[in-house]
Amino acid sequence: MAHLLDTSTLTAPLPPVVLEMGGLFDAAGHELSLVGGPVRDLFLGRMSPDLDFTTDADPDSILAVVRRWADAYWEIGRAFGTIGLRKDGHQIEITTYRAEAYDPSSRNPTVAFGTNLHDDLGRRDFTINAMALRLPSLELVDPFGGVRDLHAGVLCTPGTPSSSFSDDPLRMMRAARFVSQLGLALAPEVTEAMTRMAERISIISAERVRDELVKLVQGKAPDAGIDLMVETGLAEHVMPEVSALRLETDEHHRHKDVYQHSLTVLRQACTLESGEDGPVPGPDVVLRLAALLHDIGKPATRRFEPGGAVSFRHHDAVGAKLAAKRLRALRFDNDTIKAVARLVELHMRFYGYGEAGWSDSAVRRYVSDAGPLLERLHRLTRSDVTTRNRRKAERLAFAYDDLEARIAALADQEELASIRPDLDGEQIMALLGVRPGPVVGRAYRFLLEERMENGPQDPADARIKLLQWWSEQPESQESTP
């Protein structure tokens, strides 16, 4: 199906660079079409700065057209028929018509250039991405009903789902991502194919899977995307620890559904993210991953206690190790791995504050242990309250309000975010008459402990306490003549 597009019906403007490129390729005797996500987004009222085009020109011919016009260009994807460029702030990719398929045992596509736009669209992942806008005529080419499916809110494939997922199994992850990002529902045949073919995702590189997972987690409804992965079995091959949260509920329902609880925590964490100028601008991948994974240590630590109770002792520490291991397997960067694991490790620290109360030193330790993750920890801890008992929820919320007020009050008096001893390493060595080594580290830790327990001290008082500590150390006796 093809017809001229009435641009006045679009809820997003067409960037001038699109029509400009269309004129350049037309003048050179080549076809050019805006294709895929950017066309879909025109109907969703948005336009990405990243623009994808397809053409009958081969890479050499593409370069001949854009070389002098582009602000910059690169040929990294040339082997796949793709030339990248930047123009007027837009990131642009132009790809020769192609058809490609995956060998069942390979992670890499076998690329073959195509000859026409219709065939190129037929090899794309979903109908909503199998639309093109011919340039410069503005003819909308929609042979598989992408506009229809977009308006219906359903995700379908141009051909059979089995054929689409066999060509590129990563498309199953994309299906879950579009559920999260766009709020779409899968056509029944798409769900069936994903369930039957979930194991095929294992041939895809961890880096590609990670990138799709990040986009899913950043979506408007990441819990829905994760739930689809679990229900179809895809999560068993990507994040099996999440699937394992579906603990068998015993006949007496002695514990809550850990899996559904985790999805609720993820959903609630999203609502607590701040705006761009706030402390945790959304979508925050670290916070959302921590919310999803915070209880993955429970299956390994579940114990049925006398009297029918169920315990999960040390699931926070076990979960932190499991989270780090899974994120490493998915090739996440070290900073993300450490941050998520630390939040998982700390997510139970608050509980008990309301009943027992904390000393100032305990509050300082809480802030110090969280470090730069404190604002995320605030949000994770609040999100972790999913009880239907209104009185209990209000009590926990009040207790955390009180803790945050305590932190703010201490922060007015002290630099809580960067708690350090009252003497630095140089001062310690000068006072004790020692050289750099283990003794300095031990002295530093002693003073840090004093700082945690008692707050900031006058340097003179700190020197007295350090000298008293030093007099009790074996090394001090050895250094005495």
Side-chain angles (χ1 to χ4, degrees):
M1 182 177 68
H3 58 82
L4 290 180
L5 180 67
D6 179 2
T7 56
S8 67
T9 65
L10 298 177
T11 53
L14 199 61
V17 71
V18 171
L19 295 176
E20 193 174 342
M21 276 188 59
L24 288 173
F25 276 77
D26 186 55
H30 295 297
E31 298 178 5
L32 183 73
S33 298
L34 184 69
V35 70
V39 178
R40 175 200 69 219
D41 286 351
L42 286 172
F43 293 94
L44 294 175
R46 63 193 193 190
M47 173 52 74
S48 167
D50 299 335
L51 302 173
D52 296 324
F53 296 85
T54 188
T55 178
D56 62 346
D58 60 27
D60 286 337
S61 300
I62 295 173
L63 281 172
V65 174
V66 304
R67 195 188 309 267
R68 295 183 179 178
W69 174 78
D71 295 332
Y73 69 90
W74 48 92
E75 305 178 47
I76 297 174
R78 186 187 184 101
F80 299 98
T82 299
I83 300 298
L85 61 95
R86 185 169 58 252
K87 179 69 176 180
D88 296 342
H90 292 281
Q91 200 88 349
I92 295 170
E93 286 191 351
I94 310 170
T95 302
T96 305
Y97 294 150
R98 67 188 188 188
E100 66 183 34
Y102 269 72
D103 182 284
S105 61
S106 173
R107 295 184 175 192
N108 301 311
T110 302
V111 177
F113 293 152
T115 58
N116 64 81
L117 177 60
H118 186 281
D119 290 348
D120 182 89
L121 295 177
R123 55 156 288 277
R124 292 180 180 266
D125 54 3
F126 302 104
T127 60
I128 62 171
N129 295 329
M131 299 183 286
L133 193 60
R134 287 190 186 273
L135 302 168
S137 65
L138 296 182
E139 177 189 10
L140 178 65
V141 182
D142 182 17
F144 305 104
V147 172
R148 174 202 63 211
D149 292 341
L150 194 59
H151 287 159
V154 64
L155 200 61
C156 302
T157 54
T160 66
S162 296
S163 175
S164 180
F165 297 155
S166 180
D167 282 348
D168 186 353
L170 189 67
R171 289 171 176 175
M172 294 185 285
M173 286 289 297
R174 289 191 192 130
R177 188 237 297 183
F178 288 131
V179 167
S180 171
Q181 288 182 332
L182 304 178
L184 301 177
L186 268 59
E189 63 272 17
V190 175
T191 302
E192 187 277 330
M194 282 181 64
T195 304
R196 179 165 40 85
M197 302 178 66
E199 188 274 337
R200 284 271 291 154
I201 196 68
S202 60
I203 74 166
I204 302 299
S205 70
E207 290 81 2
R208 294 185 72 209
V209 170
R210 174 204 62 211
D211 290 346
E212 283 298 326
L213 180 63
V214 167
K215 293 174 184 176
L216 183 161
V217 168
Q218 290 177 314
K220 294 179 180 178
D223 56 309
I226 294 295
D227 196 37
L228 175 63
M229 288 178 60
V230 171
E231 291 301 318
T232 58
L234 201 60
E236 290 282 355
H237 306 281
V238 176
M239 302 183 87
E241 298 83 1
V242 174
S243 296
L245 291 173
R246 294 185 296 179
L247 299 171
E248 293 182 10
T249 305
D250 59 90
E251 57 180 317
H252 301 294
H253 303 285
R254 290 175 293 189
H255 63 82
K256 61 187 176 184
D257 186 327
V258 181
Y259 171 65
Q260 289 298 331
H261 163 75
S262 297
L263 292 185
T264 301
V265 174
L266 172 58
R267 186 164 55 248
Q268 292 183 166
C270 295
T271 67
L272 294 179
E273 292 169 336
S274 65
E276 290 185 9
D277 297 328
V280 186
D284 189 86
V285 173
V286 167
L287 174 62
R288 295 184 179 200
L289 285 174
L292 174 63
L293 301 177
H294 77 286
D295 273 349
I296 61 172
K298 281 191 170 180
T301 58
R302 182 174 64 160
R303 298 290 182 271
F304 293 99
E305 306 291 350
V310 180
S311 68
F312 303 96
R313 291 190 182 90
H314 308 303
H315 77 272
D316 43 357
V318 173
K321 293 178 181 178
L322 290 174
K325 182 178 180 181
R326 176 53 49 195
L327 296 181
R328 277 196 297 270
L330 288 169
R331 303 293 192 271
F332 275 85
D333 62 279
N334 287 334
D335 287 345
T336 298
I337 294 170
K338 291 178 181 178
V340 172
R342 187 62 167 158
L343 286 171
V344 172
E345 182 183 7
L346 294 174
H347 84 273
M348 293 294 294
R349 181 72 67 86
F350 159 74
Y351 292 95
Y353 175 84
E355 288 78 10
W358 282 0
S359 64
D360 284 352
S361 65
V363 175
R364 292 187 192 100
R365 291 178 195 282
Y366 187 77
V367 174
S368 179
D369 289 347
L373 298 172
L374 181 63
E375 290 291 345
R376 289 186 175 108
L377 182 59
H378 287 335
R379 286 155 177 78
L380 176 60
T381 303
R382 289 185 181 277
S383 300
D384 197 22
V385 179
T386 62
T387 178
R388 295 180 182 178
N389 184 321
R390 184 171 61 84
R391 185 171 296 178
K392 181 179 180 181
E394 289 176 350
R395 185 171 70 250
L396 288 170
F398 176 82
Y400 209 85
D401 288 344
D402 185 63
L403 174 58
E404 288 202 54
R406 292 271 306 281
I407 291 172
L410 282 174
D412 285 342
Q413 307 167 29
E414 315 170 21
E415 293 184 19
L416 285 184
S418 56
I419 292 178
R420 293 182 176 83
D422 297 291
L423 302 177
D424 61 25
E426 293 291 336
Q427 291 170 312
I428 290 171
M429 289 187 288
L431 183 62
L432 302 185
V434 297
R435 296 181 177 181
V439 169
V440 180
R442 283 167 44 213
Y444 187 92
R445 288 190 293 273
F446 165 77
L447 288 175
L448 182 59
E449 187 72 17
E450 284 289 320
R451 174 70 171 78
M452 288 287 188
E453 286 294 329
N454 304 307
Q457 301 178 55
D458 185 275
D461 294 332
R463 291 188 182 94
I464 292 171
K465 288 188 176 182
L466 180 59
L467 287 172
Q468 175 62 39
W469 171 85
W470 178 237
S471 69
E472 299 168 358
Q473 304 307 304
E475 295 91 340
S476 68
Q477 305 304 319
E478 294 171 5
S479 62
T480 303

